[in-house]
Amino acid sequence: MIIFYGSLKYIKKQIPDSFPFSYYAVDILIFGFILWSLAKIKFSLSAITVLKQLTYMIFFTIFALGYISLITRENGLKKKLFSLASHDELTHSKNYTIFEIELKHQFKNSIQNQKPLTMAMFDIDHFKLVNDTFGHLAGDKVLATVVDIVQTIINENDPTISLYRTGGEEFNIIFPGYSINKTDTFINQVRLAINHTTIIYNQETEQQQIDITISIGISEVNQDDLNSQMFYDRVDQAMYQSKRDGRNRITKK
């Protein structure tokens, strides 16, 4: 039985993204045949009795695996639909819908448990110029590259930090449990990584180099915040202050 369960685990490891119906069925039938062969020897069962049991096992295996496969596919479809509803199709980052839900939850948790909560908002500088000069496909590549950079930094630092695409070229980052000063290293790392990235875009005639910068606003929940919208507005104002001050900078409020 230990070997049997180990074999099922091995099959799942080798084929993680689907329900391997045929592999499971063959595995169960092989071990079932071995089990009933041993039972025949131990209890002196007749060949007819063993054949009946093997037949029952085959029908039961097909029925059970068929039902499990159906449930697995249904759950997979639900998971895929949820992902489509909660994530941006282009960049695969969380979208504005899930951002609103999680911001309200994090804000409530911060107020009730007196835990720090910091949020940053950043905007890609002169993004309209990128679209107008190089085309929207180039703009899409810029957006996807920026998300890849930020998500990589998140994964290397703290997976509890969440990135959201909340507008065309606007993004928000929520830092649960972080004071505003605690985010300094992370935010500077994001800004510098993006500033030092040159995006190569292949047009029909030649390669184009696109250099990008971002403007960042950041703030922490305080006692005057009556709701999450007040908190969001302050972060938004900080980001636009960075824009007004010349872009490619960080503003705290």
Side-chain angles (χ1 to χ4, degrees):
M1 292 302 295
I2 293 174
I3 297 173
F4 170 61
Y5 283 112
S7 67
L8 292 177
K9 186 176 180 181
Y10 176 79
I11 291 171
K12 183 59 180 175
K13 185 178 180 181
Q14 295 301 312
I15 314 175
D17 297 328
S18 62
F19 184 80
F21 180 95
S22 58
Y23 289 91
Y24 281 158
V26 171
D27 191 57
I28 292 171
L29 294 177
I30 289 173
F31 279 93
F33 178 81
I34 295 172
L35 174 65
W36 281 106
S37 296
L38 294 174
K40 180 180 184 303
I41 296 171
K42 182 175 178 63
F43 300 105
S44 300
L45 300 176
S46 67
I48 295 178
T49 300
V50 173
L51 183 60
K52 286 182 179 179
Q53 296 303 321
L54 287 174
T55 303
Y56 297 152
M57 185 185 68
I58 290 171
F59 282 108
F60 179 77
T61 298
I62 294 173
F63 173 78
L65 290 181
Y67 180 74
I68 295 171
S69 177
L70 182 64
I71 297 299
T72 301
R73 290 178 182 177
E74 184 178 340
N75 290 337
L77 179 60
K78 289 179 180 179
K79 185 178 179 181
K80 185 175 182 180
L81 290 174
F82 176 77
S83 179
L84 289 172
S86 61
H87 287 72
D88 175 57
E89 185 176 358
L90 172 64
T91 63
H92 305 296
S93 59
K94 295 179 181 179
N95 62 22
Y96 187 80
T97 300
I98 201 71
F99 166 73
E100 279 193 310
I101 295 171
E102 295 188 357
L103 175 60
K104 290 177 181 178
H105 169 74
Q106 293 290 356
F107 180 83
K108 183 179 179 180
N109 181 62
S110 173
I111 297 298
Q112 290 181 344
N113 299 299
Q114 296 184 339
K115 291 183 178 180
L117 176 65
T118 297
M119 180 166 63
M121 177 186 292
F122 69 87
D123 180 278
I124 300 173
D125 296 327
H126 303 295
F127 184 73
K128 186 178 184 301
L129 183 61
V130 172
N131 281 333
D132 292 344
T133 304
F134 304 104
H136 288 279
L137 290 178
D140 289 347
K141 187 171 183 179
V142 168
L143 292 170
T145 301
V146 167
V147 168
D148 286 342
I149 292 171
V150 179
Q151 192 60 56
T152 298
I153 296 173
I154 289 174
N155 294 340
E156 292 175 349
N157 284 271
D158 184 356
T160 65
I161 299 170
S162 294
L163 171 67
Y164 309 83
R165 184 184 179 191
T166 50
E169 65 271 23
E170 287 184 359
F171 298 86
N172 282 68
I173 306 174
I174 293 180
F175 300 85
Y178 282 69
S179 64
I180 192 169
N181 292 329
K182 190 179 175 183
T183 65
D184 285 346
T185 300
F186 180 93
I187 291 297
N188 282 310
Q189 188 178 359
V190 166
R191 189 177 74 87
L192 290 174
I194 292 174
N195 286 358
H196 287 86
T197 298
T198 297
I199 298 172
I200 306 299
Y201 178 68
N202 294 312
Q203 289 189 317
E204 293 182 0
T205 55
E206 58 182 334
Q207 284 189 340
Q208 299 288 346
Q209 293 187 351
I210 306 174
D211 296 315
I212 54 175
T213 61
I214 59 173
S215 298
I216 305 172
I218 185 167
S219 189
E220 181 180 355
V221 168
N222 61 45
Q223 295 179 348
D224 296 329
D225 291 326
L226 301 179
N227 51 55
S228 60
Q229 187 62 47
M230 292 181 65
F231 176 41
Y232 175 87
D233 289 342
R234 189 169 61 256
V235 178
D236 186 51
Q237 291 168 13
M239 191 269 289
Y240 277 101
Q241 187 65 50
S242 291
K243 289 283 191 184
R244 288 191 292 268
D245 290 343
R247 297 182 172 85
N248 188 21
R249 64 192 66 230
I250 301 168
T251 301
K252 294 182 179 180
K253 281 198 175 185

